[in-house]
Amino acid sequence: MAFILQTYLDFSKSMSLILASVAFTQYAVFSWPPYFYIDRIGRRKTVIYSSAGCAVCMAVIAGCLISQTYATAAAAVAFIFLYLDCFTLGILPVSWSYSAEIQPLRVRNKATAVGVFSHWMSNFVVVMVTPIGLDSIGGNYFWIWAIVCASFVPLTYFFGVETSGKSLESIDHMFYEAPRICMGLDKGHSQVIRSTREDEEMKHKAFAKGSEKDGISIEEVENIEEK
């Protein structure tokens, strides 16, 4: 980030480093709020709102870089900060939990490992490609990321299922029972289940009781979740 601020927005080296340090301190601080709402509003809405916000920020940054003035540079910096906020409040926390939740139990460990690997490889590619893109097409480079971010809105809406409040076993059963391409269009797959502490205790008791009987049925778990 400091490189972009110094090279393409004409900030001094010291100011670029200060702004970058503030931005990533803010990035760390804003990683906490999702803990309080991610299960209330659900994974789908969190990603949709976050992606839309990120897309708007990228589009504004691209527009600001059309003309090199102090005002447009300041606006670009402001929306870089806002982009980090939008990303941290939505896409970031969901990307770590969702990839593990939707995988079948038999391959969850391996699939999660692949997801983590792809996450960091994507970061590496973005870091390496960004200077090349900015040198080649300037501020228009951010339009690419605006489109990428915006694409996650329909992708999540049509293909993403809601996992908040559901057990891993019931998520597996959801894919097994009614597999389809656009699973996000199914009302039952997009509904957020808000579990209370009493519901969680009932689930644990049911699982404990089921273990004595060599397992509990998925139907019992779903009945508990829907109360």
Side-chain angles (χ1 to χ4, degrees), residues 108-182:
R108 179 161 290 131
N109 292 340
K110 294 179 180 179
T112 301
V114 172
V116 173
F117 172 78
S118 65
H119 173 86
W120 290 113
M121 279 302 298
S122 299
N123 277 271
F124 174 77
V125 171
V126 170
V127 170
M128 298 302 294
V129 168
T130 295
I132 300 173
L134 289 173
D135 286 337
S136 301
I137 57 177
N140 290 323
Y141 173 75
F142 288 98
W143 284 112
I144 298 174
W145 295 114
I147 294 171
V148 171
C149 292
S151 69
F152 278 95
V153 175
L155 285 174
T156 304
Y157 181 80
F158 287 107
F159 304 111
V161 298
E162 186 55 64
T163 60
S164 297
K166 298 177 181 177
S167 67
L168 297 177
E169 290 77 11
S170 64
I171 294 171
D172 266 4
H173 185 66
M174 180 171 58
F175 282 98
Y176 175 78
E177 183 182 48
R180 56 183 294 191
I181 296 177
C182 297

Side-chain angles (χ1 to χ4, degrees), residues 32 41 48 53 67 84-85 111 152 167 215 221 225:
W32 283 95
I41 68 174
I48 288 173
S67 59
L84 290 174
D85 295 341
F152 278 95
S167 67
V221 176
E225 290 178 338

